[in-house]
């Protein structure tokens, strides 16, 4: 997954982008980059690691101008290389341009082969480079026309920010898979615009939320203000449900639904769909406790506790100090994994029937360790509740799910998964429950069951856009070339 | 503040210490160090920064042996130098010895002058070095006798770990200001012992909690097992209340009281001591919401919500990505401070009467920003509740409180502080409420009001041990010498 | 300036390239890079700095395969960015390819504009990228045919190494501006080939010098051995004289002339062309001393001493510890510059008439400081002798000379330069003397005065290839784009 | 080996020390440190590595004051730790003091045991710390009296700089093993003094050489000027011959003898003592060539060439780019060693009888590789000439020679060594020749054969001061303690 950010009309644009990326850090921790434009030229800086580590004061000072775009990238399982860090910045016959992309193109493989046949050279393994090659080959008379021509060729998921020396663009694909929104900062006289994957930086920057970028909308910002147009392609809206379940920050509002409220609603529905076992209830509510897997499971657990009448407690304590690499003793029988991050709170767990609420199960290995940890801390029984349906299919639209073979729910029943987790019970949310939860959090703006409005491919296998070629998978490394650094 | 750790009898002692320090990271983020003994010699490594950054695999491999001690140190406001990082390791006539110290000596200044007069040279600004000089000058016949002789000279707070090529010592000062406990690991045949400031690593390491080190107890561990003796000095027990309020990790049990349960009890009592305003209640419980300042305020807020009947919600979202240094735009009117770490969750706050629960107020500046942030997110009113009494006095026993002049409660009434915070109301917990909360969490092991059992100097000004000389303050930099690095 | 290296058929190709680049380090200290091929794919690593700093053992381990190319790049005055470090590695319709280039294309600007019009996107500011775009657009049926087609379009100086998953190519432009040679290592059964800008690594690697790559020759090495063909373009040979004067390492033999012997011969001729002043000679040879500006002036000074009968001494001692950045006191009146690198040896200089021999004068500022330093050390008189003609014109073929305006000899007579240097005399070598010196060092293989055989543009202004556009200058930064890092 | 530096009365004292250390870098490359005094307190910074790498501008800015001392330390074979880097800075009853030491104390082991018995604690493995402990225990009424009292207890070699908040001291032991000299900078009104191991920085800093510090002299510099006194202990002068042979920089003048002139004289005498073989001479002088092992062998080779009538040539080219760590291919049969640093110049060597002149042979392994390299480059015969006598004994006075067992001349005759080197001949300089060479270079200030004036223990085994205990050896690591970093 990735996050994109843009700012226009601010005298310290690169610094604003830096802060904006910080507030999108949860969307990608592998690399960070900023490109800035000063009306004449584009400068950029990209580096591996978190935003704070990737930029020094000197780095930011080397990015002059009043407009900037930024990008954070998620750490995928396989190799991660600086050459794939964004924004990409290139020179073309239409001038210099930089791009940041959240999403994944499904026909990238085919386009790449075609473009290479025509003499394009690829320097990255990224689908995003294809957009730049299409742009460079376009005969459009304006930069905007070239962007539109390029986008008519690509399929899949893209929330984009693009920067030229004199314009900032923000585009969301016609289905609107990934979020993108617009904010406005208080300036002196002139307008200062922000675009961002999520509105998480707006409070920090003293900006106000203006509106979401619509699916299929192209926003152009220049010295004459903000201009909107729609891409010529049309498709039904298919916004991603997993953003609400797990990916977005809880204080975000995406397409008018509060992520926190969605998650609480999912927790409430989950409690209704999976009533507590009779044996459990017989002992009175004091015998049980609802605990989240922090931090992502917290809102759903609060909703679950509310609906079930059981107390909400922090039965797992999350460490703030877990970085990437951890050295383990050689003789250690088990690998520490989640134990370095989550610590059982015996005072809450001992002697209790424990309902542990998490947002999803992917491979199942972490959940299994959590169940074990809770049981070892003295729980009488451990019941797992998941505030989303089983994840059975990989995502081709930008979320780094593993291959189907690694998804435990792709090949195991709930019964089998519960046994694998060594839990006393397991309950998943229904697909309808999930859709209703999102609708609920729009506070009446959505009808009750608009389930065609969302992409639920990871749960249902109903892919709104077919993917072409194995290499459209986000993890796959294409062809032969791999640049280790640089 | 600091944290200490020790391990005995483990083939990978340095790695175990590394993991142990990781689980004590909340007690000190400035520097980390480990000293290891292989029966013959002591090797050590110290570095600035978090445990994970301070040690590479090669660093750990360079620390052979089956016994080790470790130390993490808190970042004080002023300079922080590698030379002050612990453990200190030196050569003396009684052999090599390494020491790690949590606490603060109150008569250090006087002892240092006296020792220097006798020809001792100081290489650090730390009070801990004084213990080593006293040890080196002792005529005691055994290492243990020398340690005891040295400790009879010092006053104040010390939870110590000491390592020689053949012994591990753990000592807690007679008043027991700082915590210290013993754990046991499953080994093959022989005993594997752990000592730690808090038992937070025991689950991770597959160890079991054995008991607290008693105030005034000296524990010696060697090849013949664990031996206990009491220091000759006697004083009434004075364990620190602030460990429960803020410092310790919530999953810890200190001197038989669960920190999490203490905090929840404080929240409940706080709700009883400060009933909600009538205007507020008139609107029904749906009009109000209890939110914590995460993470430290979470348990008290849960307790408060329970006792008040108001819903508990996460109204402030904590970022996991805030490091030490953050670059701010030059024109930024306000400094970001807490805004980089805490984000208002508008979905929870908008249109609500908000009770925000925090553990303590020190200078008041952060609380003021939090109140403002909540109000800007649309709260109807903001009521601050603090799960401890006003902090009016600096700590001389190891906690890095600022000088009295900086403590807002030292010179302002609750009324005035509430006005400064721009809150609609402010309520502190009573001192009796605090002591009862700790007693409660021992689950009946303590009588109701043993308030003489604790040090509450930061709230009451009743200092169990006088401090001698201004330089006993943890922050003060002594004399002329300052080693910038090394 | 740059250096290129290639190795074929060695099980540790990347390590061999690393050693090969080390022995070419004098040709470029700004960045270093290696690309390796394992029959299937190409991996590469590039970094700023010296070879030893640019590669860790892990970096080399990440470059598997039995073939590799490498590149070192010179630090130009202006910015230097990782994106310009070579080898470049890209994917094209003809497969993956990596390239390393020593030289400079004179029609690069025009080609770039044309390629961008056709939709090519540029990611670097380098002329070398143009060769890859031409390659990618070629319709040639083999990789070799594509390379040849691309090269028929470019003009100027290029000694290239190119690597595909299954072939290594070495090419020298038809004029042979820059050197390139072939070596052979002892292998087990199969042939192990080396190509390098200079044969400096061959002794180190236990390899033997085979021959120079001929101007206009394309060498292809694959599993069937080494194959040679000639590019279709023909031009008279124009090898660079400045390589002999300054750039190449003295133990190199370039196009059959020993650099060391060339330089000694230049020194001898210089002594003959500029007899010592009568006043000087009157005092006997003991009154004078010949000293080099080390290290580049050493062989010429030895030759000069030999021919003049004056003693050769090390009157300037060179420091081995001068790196890039040096911190100077703020109040220092003069900048240290060369004084940090060269130290006057008073024992040699005091009371003597000093002949100081250097290879060339570019701006004159360093020579002026050297003269001053020698005089302050007590010399009676200081006579400067330069073992090349005045440098009056910038090089467009790969050497980083400054612009014409900065070349002191472009606008000043020898008389004026001598006055600027505050020397008691100045003598430059004649152009014929230079050409004869090179001819001499071929040990009879060249006739006496084949002066059309060499490029002497920097001395004469006779440019063998016109340069098109200001941007063909090596230093110029093109268009708008600048990638600060990455 | 080490180098020390001091500056007094300069507004940018730390920067001056930084430049001074740079010019002493050849005396120690392992670590560098500076301590500065601003009249009130002492600050210091020490780091591993070369001077340029060890100090950033910020580091220097953190060292305020008008007085400073500095130290560079040699990389010994064994471990090298920051804790052993100097200057050491400590607090004592007499105030803060910092020390930098070149030399080695021979009775350190005994003193350390005694001081530890009295309660001193050692934080380093260095003998220098002992001086500080003695200083701290002294009852002297002034800082100077305490220094003198401390020095009366120690034996061996010491050239010291010491800094207090208000005084700078420079001391040379009574025998004067290691050099130390005084310089003076141009200031504005007040005097600006320098002290340094060698006068190598004086030209760079625009300072003038004043005089050597005399053996047994203690120089005190404060606001009242420079004051000299003699230590109460008396011993005959025993200055180190090896400084002239190898260690000092050739442009230095030590105790009135120019190092360059000494070395040239040694070369001349060497030629006389070892006439060329008849077979060799029969072919005329054109058949032979004298080459140095650069850089240390250059002056002697010039002298040798002069006396023998053979031409001087650079037959070995030295690389400027060899750092500490070099990665070698795994399959490499031989380790590269000296081959990475020295390259044979075939044009000079091929077909010639080669006389290779080096300053000394320690283990013989490097010389053996050099002989082989010369022969492989086509030499007809290789004759080794060494401009010092055989090194048969380890140095206990500050030079890092290996143990006796590793010194090839300790157990092998010249005949045997020649065979081991696979040379066609080997000639060492006589001891008398060495002493005469030094005398010669004083330009008449010394009588012809004052051989009792020098320490030649490494050649003769006549140790002027006995060493007590194996641990007086510079390499030995003492006792148990080893601090890996910090």
């Amino acid at each position: 997954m990735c996050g994109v950010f843009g700012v226009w009309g601010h005298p310290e644009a690169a610094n604003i982008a830096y802060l904006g990326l910080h507030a999108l850090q949860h969307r990608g921790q592998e690399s960070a980059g900023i490109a800035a434009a000063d009306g004449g030229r584009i400068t950029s800086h990209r580096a591996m690691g978190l935003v704070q580590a990737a930029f020094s004061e000197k780095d930011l000072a080397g990015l002059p101008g009043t407009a900037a775009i930024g990008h954070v990238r998620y750490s995928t399982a396989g190799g991660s290389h600086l050459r794939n860090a964004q924004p990409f910045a290139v020179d073309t016959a239409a001038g210099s341009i930089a791009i940041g992309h959240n999403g994944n193109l499904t026909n990238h493989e085919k386009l790449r082969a075609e473009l290479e046949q025509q003499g394009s050279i690829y320097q990255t393994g990224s689908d995003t480079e294809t957009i730049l090659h299409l742009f460079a080959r376009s005969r459009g008379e304006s930069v905007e026309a070239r962007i539109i021509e390029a986008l008519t060729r690509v399929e899949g998921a893209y929330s984009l920010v693009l920067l030229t020396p004199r314009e900032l663009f923000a585009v969301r694909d016609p289905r609107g898979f990934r979020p993108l929104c617009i904010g406005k900062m208080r300036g002196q006289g002139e307008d200062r615009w922000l675009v961002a994957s999520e509105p998480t930086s707006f409070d920090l920057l003293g900006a106000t939320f203006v509106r979401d970028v619509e699916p299929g909308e192209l926003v152009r910002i220049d010295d004459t203000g903000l201009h909107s147009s729609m891409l010529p392609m049309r498709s039904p809206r298919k916004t991603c449900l997993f953003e609400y379940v797990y990916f977005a920050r809880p204080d975000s509002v995406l397409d008018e639904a509060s992520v926190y409220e969605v998650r609480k609603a999912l927790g409430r529905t989950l409690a209704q769909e999976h009533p507590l076992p009779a044996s459990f209830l017989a002992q009175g509510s004091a015998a049980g406790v609802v605990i989240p897997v922090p931090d992502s499971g917290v809102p759903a657990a609060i909703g679950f506790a509310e609906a079930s009448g059981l107390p909400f407690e922090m039965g797992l304590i999350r460490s703030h100090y877990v970085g990437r690499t951890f050295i383990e003793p050689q003789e250690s029988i088990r690998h520490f994994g989640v134990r370095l991050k989550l610590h059982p709170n015996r005072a809450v767990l001992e002697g209790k029937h424990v309902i542990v609420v998490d947002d999803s199960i992917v491979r199942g290995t972490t959940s299994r360790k959590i169940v074990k940890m809770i049981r070892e801390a003295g729980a009488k029984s451990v019941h797992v509740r998941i505030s989303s349906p089983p994840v059975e299919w990989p995502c081709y639209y930008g979320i780094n799910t593993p291959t189907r073979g690694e998804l435990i729910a792709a090949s195991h029943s709930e019964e089998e998964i519960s046994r694998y987790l060594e839990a006393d019970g397991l309950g998943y949310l229904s697909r309808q429950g999930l859709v209703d939860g999102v609708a609920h959090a729009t506070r009446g703006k959505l009808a009750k069951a608009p389930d065609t409005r969302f992409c639920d491919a990871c749960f249902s296998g109903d892919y709104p856009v077919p993917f072409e070629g194995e290499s459209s998978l986000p993890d796959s490394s294409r062809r032969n070339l791999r640049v280790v650094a640089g």
Side-chain angles (χ1 to χ4, degrees), chain A residues 12 26 57 71 107 110 128 133 135 145 207 219 234-235 249 262 265 318 332 334 351 363 407 425 436 463:
Chain A
E12 297 180 68
H26 60 287
E57 226 161 319
H71 190 269
N107 64 337
K110 217 180 73 187
T128 309
H133 284 291
F135 173 88
V219 170
R234 287 293 136 82
S235 300
R249 215 168 74 180
V262 168
R318 175 169 171 167
S332 72
R334 52 175 185 203
R363 289 177 184 81
L407 294 170
D436 288 350
Y463 290 102

Side-chain angles (χ1 to χ4, degrees), chain A residues 85-237:
Chain A
Q86 299 191 13
F88 297 141
V90 298
D91 277 354
T92 75
S96 298
I97 189 164
I99 188 170
H101 175 200
N102 175 205
N104 201 50
L105 305 184
T106 52
N107 64 337
H108 158 241
E109 190 76 349
K110 217 180 73 187
L111 289 172
R112 179 168 179 153
E114 186 186 316
L115 286 160
E116 286 185 352
Q117 280 308 324
Q118 291 166 23
S120 291
I121 64 179
Y122 271 74
Q123 300 206 13
T124 74
S126 154
D127 53 346
T128 309
E129 191 178 343
T130 291
I131 300 175
L132 293 180
H133 284 291
L134 292 169
F135 173 88
R137 289 176 175 279
S138 163
R139 296 286 163 206
E141 296 205 343
S142 66
V143 168
E144 182 167 335
R146 281 170 172 255
I147 292 171
I148 292 169
E149 189 183 323
L151 295 179
T152 56
R153 299 293 313 284
V154 305
E155 279 289 348
Y158 49 87
S159 283
L160 300 173
V161 286
L162 298 114
L163 184 70
T164 73
R166 301 187 173 281
E167 293 147 312
L168 172 69
F169 296 89
V171 200
R172 201 170 170 200
D173 69 69
R175 291 173 188 86
F177 284 108
R178 300 282 140 237
L180 195 61
C181 67
I182 303 172
K184 203 168 182 175
M185 287 180 84
R186 287 181 285 269
Q188 285 149 342
E190 78 288 8
D191 283 332
R192 295 177 173 184
W193 296 99
L194 303 179
V195 290
S197 291
E198 299 180 41
T200 42
S201 62
F202 294 177
D203 266 299
L204 176 69
L205 295 171
T208 51
F209 177 85
V210 174
R211 64 173 176 88
D212 295 295
V213 174
E214 289 301 306
E217 182 181 4
L218 180 150
V219 170
R220 188 185 88 243
I221 309 173
D222 60 21
D223 283 345
T224 67
L226 183 148
H227 311 272
S228 168
S229 59
M230 295 304 286
L231 296 178
M233 311 80 82
R234 287 293 136 82
S235 300
R237 175 189 284 253

Side-chain angles (χ1 to χ4, degrees), chain A residues 401-461:
Chain A
T401 38
T403 59
R404 201 156 187 236
E406 293 171 88
L407 294 170
I408 192 169
S411 53
H412 294 77
S413 68
E414 286 191 30
E415 186 66 32
E416 289 167 337
I417 297 170
S418 182
R419 259 204 308 279
Y420 171 74
L421 302 184
E422 297 180 15
D424 296 295
L426 167 65
Y428 279 104
L429 185 68
S430 67
R431 264 188 261 159
Q432 188 61 47
L434 171 54
V435 169
D436 288 350
V438 178
H440 166 89
T442 61
R443 300 185 181 180
K445 290 186 185 150
L446 275 188
K448 191 174 183 304
D451 64 346
T452 57
R453 183 185 178 91
F454 299 108
C455 176
D456 68 351
C458 55
F459 306 122
S460 67

Side-chain angles (χ1 to χ4, degrees), chain A residues 314-335:
Chain A
M314 296 302 284
L316 297 166
I317 304 298
R318 175 169 171 167
S319 171
H320 293 290
Y321 304 107
V322 181
R324 300 244 147 179
T325 50
F326 215 90
I327 307 161
E328 302 197 1
Q330 290 167 7
E331 74 153 24
S332 72
I333 320 161
R334 52 175 185 203
H335 287 293

